[in-house]
Amino acid sequence: MKRLLLLNGPNLNRLGKREPSIYGSTTLDDVHAEIKELTAAYGWELDTFQSNHEGELIDCLQDAEDKYQGVVFNPGAYTHTSIAIRDAISGLDVPVIEVHISNIHQREAFRHHSMLAPVCYGQVVGLGTTGYRLAALAFLEENKKG
Ligand code: CA2
């Protein structure tokens, strides 16, 4: 069975509970449930993981090797700072799509640059939590083609 990993970085456990004007009112549990339903409709399994700790995210990416057809990853603020996460993605044989709920290009200058985008398969930005769905669909539809 094909498998997708949905990975979220720091503070995203607070999704839907704080700052709804930026991040909306959908919780991370809601996102997990929605993507679970979507992947199941394609006959895929979904694993989810969220951590506020850089090393745990790196461990999770390393463990993803050979287990998944794709990773949908919102790295939170580590997007803009983490060479270590970039190295983990770069050394991984599984494609990663970077997702941002907000439009990072409309926000503070320090959010405009992603350390990770150059080593990711793709990027979805600024479409709210629908971005997770679109990233998952990219893998689901791409793999359907054989
Ligand atoms: O737009 C995104 O998805 C971000 O990855 C979110 C990060 C931010 O540092 C990135 O620049 C863009 C922050 C995640 C914080 O999530 C919260 C959600 C609700 C309430 C408080 C924080």
Side-chain angles (χ1 to χ4, degrees), residues 120-138:
C120 284
Y121 175 65
Q123 193 189 40
V124 182
V125 168
L127 302 179
T129 52
T130 303
Y132 291 107
R133 186 180 182 85
L134 296 174
L137 270 171

Side-chain angles (χ1 to χ4, degrees), residues 9-20 22-24 74-80 99-104 107 110-111 126 132:
N11 296 307
L12 287 153
N13 52 315
R14 309 190 92 188
L15 201 59
K17 298 171 184 163
R18 295 274 189 287
E19 302 192 75
I22 304 176
Y23 299 113
N74 185 343
Y78 287 138
T79 305
H80 318 295
V99 171
H100 297 290
I101 298 164
S102 64
N103 185 338
I104 53 177
R107 301 183 65 192
F110 64 82
R111 295 187 204 274
Y132 291 107

Side-chain angles (χ1 to χ4, degrees), residues 5 7 20 47 52 66 69 87 92 110 112 122 131 135:
L5 173 64
L7 183 58
D47 287 335
N52 294 326
D66 297 328
Q69 273 60 49
D87 289 346
L92 183 65
F110 64 82
H112 296 178

